[in-house]
Amino acid sequence: MSSFAPTEQRLDVTLGKYREFPRQPAVLVRLVKHLYKQIHDEANAILRPYGLNHPEYNILMMMYGTPDNAMNPSQLSDAAGEKSANVTRLTNQLCDKGLIARTASEDDRRKVTLTLTDEGTALIESFLPGISMLLLQQTGNLTTDEQGQLEKLLKKMLEGFPA
Amino acid sequence: MSSFAPTEQRLDVTLGKYREFPRQPAVLVRLVKHLYKQIHDEANAILRPYGLNHPEYNILMMMYGTPDNAMNPSQLSDAAGEKSANVTRLTNQLCDKGLIARTASEDDRRKVTLTLTDEGTALIESFLPGISMLLLQQTGNLTTDEQGQLEKLLKKMLEGFPA
DNA sequence: AGTATATAGTTCATAACTGAATTATCAATA
DNA sequence: TATTGATAATTCAGTTATGAACTATATACT
């Protein structure tokens, strides 16, 4: 019995009770949730020895993935998929840990610039091998072709949500 | 520019900095996270007038999707994809709201039985039309065939995680 | 039968997340 | 130029989620 079977059985019974129930969409939504939870938990576990949790890691990686290791909170919010209040909280924590620095922006006084410190960059580079292996493992059940298809379908589904 | 483009650009730059970075798996994981967040936020918004949030709704729907509207917390934990401590917390809240009842199990003294009340069932049936429409809308960008493919691929990916 | 191990669910303290309000700043409009 | 509307980020109080510990109970082993 797969880990999704209990959920799917509940959806089947629901369809029996309420004939208009959109079973297929519900299955998809539930699969996304289950997957997210697994991904999140595994990431938290592997990042713990580095003194980080999954959302903090996500923030750091988004910053690392810029030419100059710098972003402002709104950009981070979009790229990391976190709400602005949470970006503030997470970046406060990363600042406290000395992994990023916060400075005022010169061209727009409303803006803040967040920059990876050398310590932050070093930490990222220290966990990248482990995280890379985890990512490969998490998707290892899919062939390269299947991964490409999945990417295409997930993007298409995501495009249906308001930006 | 799609809502995923900022994220994807960051992953592209990351690959430039760290050549072993598994970009494709990282894209998939990020897509799942973004999707989950959108689904979660939209569900919370539509359920708010019913005095429920997304995780509470998930619990209720799993119970509704049983022949006798009853489950124990471990079954719920599996089916709803919530940790046991959270199942306790969520079901306490649903009990307080009069939507479920908690009784001791007869065959196993360690077990608890959680059952939908009439009020709980009525509430579910009152939001089912709205939720159904939301589910259809959330997956509306995909054809029926694509939805089937996506289900298959998500299940395959999920099967790669420890149960 | 007695002991060791596993299970079910809860508690509790801590950490994480959120929505609404806020202030300063920028951009658009009249 | 003055006013209006939008944006950026933060604060704050309340809500949600979690890991570890715990107790009672069931199961497995000796």
Side-chain angles (χ1 to χ4, degrees), chain B residues 48 72-74 84-85 88 102 110 112:
Chain B
R48 202 170 186 180
N72 52 50
S74 299
S84 62
T88 300
R102 181 180 259 118
R110 296 170 302 177
V112 162

Side-chain angles (χ1 to χ4, degrees), chain B residues 91-102:
Chain B
T91 53
N92 282 349
Q93 285 177 329
L94 293 170
C95 271
D96 292 346
K97 289 171 186 179
L99 303 179
I100 65 172
R102 181 180 259 118

Side-chain angles (χ1 to χ4, degrees), chain A residues 11-76:
Chain A
L11 298 179
D12 290 334
V13 175
T14 302
L15 184 58
K17 291 190 183 184
Y18 182 73
R19 301 240 51 102
E20 324 286 286
F21 187 65
R23 185 192 168 283
Q24 174 69 263
V27 165
L28 293 177
V29 162
R30 290 275 171 165
L31 278 166
V32 169
K33 176 188 161 48
H34 278 243
L35 257 178
Y36 177 65
K37 180 172 172 291
Q38 297 283 348
I39 288 163
H40 181 69
D41 286 351
E42 287 192 355
N44 275 332
I46 209 171
L47 291 162
R48 203 174 187 178
Y50 298 94
L52 294 176
N53 63 37
H54 190 211
E56 285 173 325
Y57 148 82
N58 279 336
I59 296 277
L60 288 178
M61 287 306 290
M62 288 294 102
M63 290 172 70
Y64 187 71
T66 63
D68 49 337
N69 291 338
M71 285 177 99
N72 52 50
S74 298
Q75 289 175 323
L76 265 178

Side-chain angles (χ1 to χ4, degrees), chain B residues 117-147:
Chain B
T117 62
D118 289 348
E119 190 181 350
T121 305
L123 184 65
I124 289 168
E125 279 160 3
S126 75
F127 65 59
L128 264 176
I131 276 287
S132 298
M133 277 166 49
L134 179 65
L135 287 168
L136 286 168
Q137 185 193 329
Q138 287 177 336
T139 49
N141 228 27
L142 301 172
T143 65
T144 304
D145 189 51
E146 284 168 332
Q147 290 185 30

Side-chain angles (χ1 to χ4, degrees), chain A residues 141-151, chain B residues 152-153 156:
Chain A
N141 230 25
L142 300 172
T143 65
T144 304
D145 190 52
E146 282 169 334
Q147 291 184 31
Q149 282 178 56
L150 181 55
E151 175 180 341
Chain B
K152 192 168 148 234
L153 292 169
K156 201 168 178 205

Side-chain angles (χ1 to χ4, degrees), chain B residues 8 12 70 122 161:
Chain B
E8 194 163 8
D12 290 335
F161 288 85

